[in-house]
Structures are given as structure tokens and as C-alpha cells.
């Protein structure tokens, strides 16, 4: 009887602690992903505005790449944490961002965690 009661108490306490830990983990990683996506979008929109005045073919390619990055970010389902391809789409956005940085001849470094969160050029 004591074994059964102890088991039930432990199960209830463990379930409660697991839910709280899961919420903290989800909020932390969701905030990191949101910060990363937000930086990419701000970067892309800024460069898009800067390149609008240039009409040569080289800059049109850069603008098309920026348009593609902006579209990918706008389609990213930020409100749906259960989206099954969330990590896959985030990796595609990171790849497109690196491609755009290469086209713009900019070295990028997005850091999160204990270091300060920043995008350096």
C-alpha cells in the first residue's frame, strides 16, 4: 500500500515539475528563434531599401535574393510551435541568410546564449 501511494505521489510531483520545466525550455528556445528570425528580417528589409536605388544587374540579383529571404521569413509559422518542419524551415532561412551575406560581401555572425545576442558585420 505504501509503495503504491508513494508511486502515485511521485508521479504527480514529477509530472508537475516536468510541465514547468518544459514551459521554461520552450519559452527560452522560442525567444531565441524569434530573436534570430527578427534580426534576419530587419537585416533583409534594410538592405532591400538600400539597394532599391541601384538598378544594375548585379544589384537586381541581390534584391531577388533578399526578396526570397523576406518571403521565407514571412511564411515561417512563428505562432505554431507544433509545426513539424519548424527546424527544417529555420535551417533553410539560415542558409538563405548566409547566401545573401555572401552576395553582399558581408561576414555575419549571429550569437545567442550567454554571450550577448547580436548580429555583427
Amino acid at each position: 500500500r505504501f509503495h503504491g501511494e508513494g508511486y502515485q505521489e511521485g508521479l504527480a510531483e514529477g509530472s508537475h515539475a516536468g510541465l514547468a520545466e518544459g514551459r521554461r525550455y520552450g519559452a527560452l528556445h522560442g525567444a531565441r528563434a524569434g530573436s534570430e528570425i527578427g534580426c534576419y528580417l530587419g537585416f533583409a528589409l534594410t538592405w532591400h531599401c538600400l539597394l532599391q536605388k541601384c538598378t544594375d544587374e548585379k544589384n537586381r540579383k541581390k534584391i531577388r535574393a533578399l526578396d526570397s529571404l523576406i518571403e521565407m521569413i514571412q511564411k515561417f509559422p512563428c505562432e505554431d510551435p507544433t509545426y513539424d518542419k519548424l527546424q527544417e524551415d529555420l535551417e533553410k532561412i539560415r542558409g538563405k541568410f548566409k547566401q545573401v551575406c555572401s552576395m553582399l560581401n558581408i561576414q555575419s555572425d549571429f550569437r545567442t546564449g550567454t554571450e550577448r545576442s547580436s548580429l555583427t558585420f
Side-chain angles (χ1 to χ4, degrees), residues 34-116:
S35 177
E36 183 179 359
I37 293 291
C39 282
Y40 294 159
L41 183 59
F43 170 88
L45 291 172
T46 301
W47 274 100
H48 194 275
C49 288
L50 291 171
L51 294 174
Q52 284 296 321
K53 298 174 185 169
C54 306
T55 58
D56 62 337
E57 182 59 32
K58 206 173 191 182
N59 284 321
R60 279 191 289 234
K61 286 183 180 182
K62 293 174 186 177
I63 290 171
R64 282 195 300 272
L66 285 164
D67 285 338
S68 176
L69 177 59
I70 291 167
E71 183 180 343
M72 290 171 77
I73 292 169
Q74 289 174 338
K75 287 182 179 179
F76 189 74
C78 293
E79 298 84 25
D80 184 11
T82 61
Y83 178 62
D84 59 341
K85 294 184 179 180
L86 191 93
Q87 289 298 322
E88 184 180 318
D89 287 354
L90 186 56
E91 286 301 319
K92 287 179 184 177
I93 290 171
R94 287 177 180 142
K96 180 58 82 171
F97 174 72
K98 289 178 184 177
Q99 177 191 17
V100 167
C101 286
S102 176
M103 292 174 81
L104 295 170
N105 200 22
I106 295 172
Q107 185 174 5
S108 67
D109 179 23
F110 186 84
R111 294 186 297 261
T112 59
T114 57
E115 307 168 13
R116 67 179 207 276

